[in-house]
Amino acid sequence: MCLSLFDAARLGFKDLMKMSVEVERKFLCNADTLKTLEEIGAVCIGQRQFRDQYFDTPKFDLTLRDMWLRKRKECWELKCPTAVNGTEEASGVQAKAAALCSRYREITNLAEIQRRVKEVIKDICQDRETEASPSQEDETWLSEINLVCFADFTTLRQSFTLEEQGLQIDLDQANFGYHVGEIEVLVPEGGDVQSALEKIERTAGKLGLSDQAVEGKMHIYLQRNHPEHYNKLLNAHVL
Ligand code: V4E
């Protein structure tokens, strides 16, 4: 993404650093996963539970653009697609391995989230000024632009690190009965995505993962609870 000097000044350095790219590969967990993690030297760094509430318009304007707005632990987050740099795969990382990874820009600054969301749904939203420092608790902006909660679930997450720098492995148990693991590297804005893909590939090899694409929690949640929304996203090749 190209930011103007104005954007950079408005957001500030701290917020720019928060606009990282999350590169991750999901995998299926089984009875041996914990043992395998121990064998490869993964260290458990904790367990936590959190509730996710996802929001979109009734016509799915955000998710049809692969944009995922959620509230987790009283904080807002927006995941947006990130353009794939053509040199990433060409210069070493196998295209097949890279294709098993997703990459999304993670935005956590609420004013920036509101700006991006309003940009997408400007046809239906009233032309209101966005507050410079909106509060995390004030949810009036959601109804003003017709955003409703379409998914609400909790996850129990156990997290591990490996000697690979900056890499984390999460084992998630969603409260609707789906277990999924993910190998994740957070790359700061402008950072080295190729190296993140290589770290994930090495770790997937250590865990003995197959080349199978694995569905995320949202995929299963929508399939079970909101088939119309699910089918629209499948037809649009978002899921
Ligand atoms: C990006 C996305 C969604 C938002 C939730 O993303 P996900 O990483 O699956 O959730 P979670 O709880 O692990 O978030 P984290 O704590 O890592 O930030 S919902 C659907 N997508 C798109 C998507 C996709 N197309 N393919 C895959 C494999 N995952 C997600």
Side-chain angles (χ1 to χ4, degrees):
M1 184 187 59
C2 188
L3 284 167
S4 67
L5 277 178
F6 173 76
D7 284 331
R10 182 169 49 82
L11 290 170
F13 179 72
K14 207 164 142 234
D15 290 319
L16 279 178
M17 287 310 291
K18 283 186 190 165
M19 260 206 261
S20 42
V21 172
E22 181 196 70
V23 187
E24 72 174 34
R25 173 167 166 175
K26 294 193 161 67
F27 61 93
L28 291 177
C29 303
N30 59 36
D32 293 332
T33 304
L34 277 175
K35 195 166 145 259
T36 312
L37 282 170
E38 200 179 313
E39 282 165 4
I40 69 168
V43 176
C44 181
I45 52 169
Q47 178 166 293
R48 66 192 180 115
Q49 189 160 22
F50 50 84
R51 175 185 181 193
D52 284 325
Q53 292 169 285
Y54 284 86
F55 296 83
D56 200 350
T57 65
K59 287 187 172 171
F60 320 127
D61 293 278
L62 294 179
T63 52
L64 280 171
R65 288 171 175 82
D66 205 10
M67 292 172 72
W68 303 88
L69 172 67
R70 76 177 172 210
K71 192 167 200 185
R72 173 181 291 180
K73 287 189 170 260
E74 302 312 311
C75 291
W76 290 95
E77 299 172 348
L78 181 68
K79 291 201 191 205
C80 304
T82 163
V84 175
N85 172 350
T87 61
E88 281 164 18
E89 279 78 1
S91 58
V93 177
Q94 291 171 342
K96 203 165 146 198
L100 292 167
C101 293
S102 64
R103 51 198 103 168
Y104 284 87
R105 188 176 306 287
E106 277 196 342
I107 302 164
T108 54
N109 175 280
L110 183 53
E112 179 61 12
I113 290 174
Q114 291 177 343
R115 192 188 67 73
R116 286 182 184 237
V117 167
K118 287 181 180 183
E119 198 173 87
V120 167
I121 52 180
K122 55 180 174 275
D123 292 345
I124 53 169
C125 85
Q126 295 154 6
D127 197 14
R128 291 174 66 104
E129 273 292 303
T130 300
E131 269 184 72
S133 308
S135 86
Q136 299 282 330
E137 300 79 41
D138 182 3
E139 296 196 354
T140 50
W141 68 282
L142 294 173
S143 51
E144 277 166 19
I145 55 176
N146 208 16
L147 290 172
V148 289
C149 179
F150 68 89
D152 188 343
F153 55 85
T154 59
T155 299
L156 181 63
R157 170 170 289 178
Q158 213 175 346
S159 299
F160 300 81
T161 51
L162 269 182
E163 75 278 8
E164 289 277 13
Q165 226 192 347
L167 181 140
Q168 184 166 315
I169 300 170
D170 293 330
L171 303 184
D172 283 358
Q173 277 183 50
N175 67 343
F176 52 89
Y178 185 58
H179 291 202
V180 67
E182 57 190 35
I183 309 170
E184 172 180 311
V185 177
L186 269 188
V187 180
E189 184 74 35
D192 189 351
V193 172
Q194 187 192 332
S195 141
L197 290 167
E198 286 167 357
K199 282 181 191 173
I200 291 173
E201 172 66 353
R202 276 195 296 274
T203 306
K206 288 181 192 168
L207 287 171
L209 302 186
S210 70
D211 285 345
Q212 181 196 1
V214 170
E215 288 141 357
K217 298 189 291 279
M218 182 60 75
H219 195 110
I220 306 298
Y221 182 91
L222 289 177
Q223 193 176 44
R224 291 184 189 170
N225 298 290
H226 298 291
E228 186 206 341
H229 192 171
Y230 173 75
N231 284 322
K232 284 219 159 113
L233 296 180
L234 269 197
N235 291 338
H237 306 289
V238 172
L239 288 181

